[in-house]
Amino acid sequence: MTRLTTTEKILKAANALFEREGADAVTMRRVADAVGITPMAIYRHFPNRGALLKKLSDDSFQSVAHEWKSRSRSRDVLKRLTALMEPYLDYALAHPHLFDHAFSVRRDDARRYPEDFHARLSPTFNVALDAVIEGMAQGVLKQDDPHDVAMTMWAHQHGLIALYRAGRFSYDEAQFRAFYLQSLRRLLDGIKA
């Protein structure tokens, strides 16, 4: 078994704190205690707490993007877009603190629409965008700005999840999942060619 590097130990400890308690719990002192090093030793690997949190977010985005790609291999664009809907919900419910930090909290390092998304700086958005572009090229989806369409789909998903997590639905998780998927299918029906 391969031994973890100090950087990997720091990230593992920081991620565990983040998952359990949220971003505020990820302090250099708490991470150092979990790893068994001094707080100052972390600064050899990360210049500050913000850089550590950014690395956690970036790794999380890459992981989600990888999962989305693996779930969206269908040649049928509509099936591929449908397959992207559930992992976003799964991620939000399984990792609420990371989800909030990534998508619901104002951050200086957050990607901004439209510039960063047109520059393909979002690995998760790119997966959906590529499917939308392909769908428009095939004539399966209405011709429109693919970035705006992909953002509309993402905003719809995010809005439903935010409302559910805020207690605005009386549904249990299974009922909400069914509603969420049906709502997104309605949206897809509206952008079909």
Side-chain angles (χ1 to χ4, degrees):
M1 187 156 122
T2 307
R3 291 176 50 121
L4 296 178
T5 65
T6 303
T7 300
E8 291 168 335
K9 289 177 187 176
I10 291 167
L11 288 169
K12 185 176 179 182
N15 192 59
L17 283 168
F18 205 138
E19 287 275 9
R20 273 194 322 271
E21 302 174 46
D24 290 343
V26 182
T27 66
M28 298 307 221
R29 181 167 307 284
R30 287 189 72 189
V31 172
D33 288 346
V35 175
I37 59 176
T38 66
M40 292 309 293
I42 294 177
Y43 292 99
R44 285 186 228 139
H45 305 273
F46 296 95
N48 54 47
R49 179 178 175 271
L52 176 58
L53 291 174
K54 182 173 182 346
K55 176 67 172 151
L56 291 174
S57 290
D58 289 348
D59 288 353
S60 180
F61 280 123
Q62 290 298 337
S63 175
V64 170
H66 178 74
E67 182 179 347
W68 282 15
K69 283 180 186 175
S70 71
R71 287 198 190 191
S72 64
R73 297 198 191 279
S74 174
R75 290 179 187 251
D76 181 316
V77 172
L78 294 175
K79 285 183 182 175
R80 195 173 334 148
L81 286 168
T82 302
L84 295 176
M85 297 173 184
E86 269 190 287
Y88 191 70
L89 177 59
D90 293 342
Y91 180 78
L93 298 179
H95 308 284
H97 296 300
L98 282 167
F99 180 83
D100 287 345
H101 184 72
F103 300 112
S104 301
V105 175
R106 184 171 184 80
R107 297 184 344 261
D108 291 336
D109 69 327
R111 292 172 188 91
R112 302 283 188 261
Y113 191 81
E115 301 82 9
D116 295 338
F117 294 85
H118 281 260
R120 298 188 61 85
L121 298 179
S122 174
T124 50
F125 186 82
N126 292 342
V127 176
L129 175 64
D130 291 344
V132 168
I133 289 170
E134 186 178 336
M136 288 179 185
Q138 291 176 2
V140 174
L141 300 178
K142 292 177 186 172
Q143 291 300 312
D144 202 338
D145 182 304
H147 291 88
D148 287 353
V149 170
M151 180 56 76
T152 298
M153 292 174 59
W154 175 53
H156 187 88
Q157 291 175 72
H158 185 80
L160 290 173
I161 292 167
L163 289 168
Y164 175 71
R165 290 189 55 229
R168 300 295 198 257
F169 286 90
S170 60
Y171 298 148
D172 64 20
E173 186 176 322
Q175 291 170 316
F176 176 72
R177 277 182 182 281
F179 175 84
Y180 170 86
L181 292 172
Q182 184 58 43
S183 180
L184 290 163
R185 285 185 194 106
R186 285 186 187 103
L187 179 67
L188 278 177
D189 285 344
I191 63 172
K192 283 183 196 174

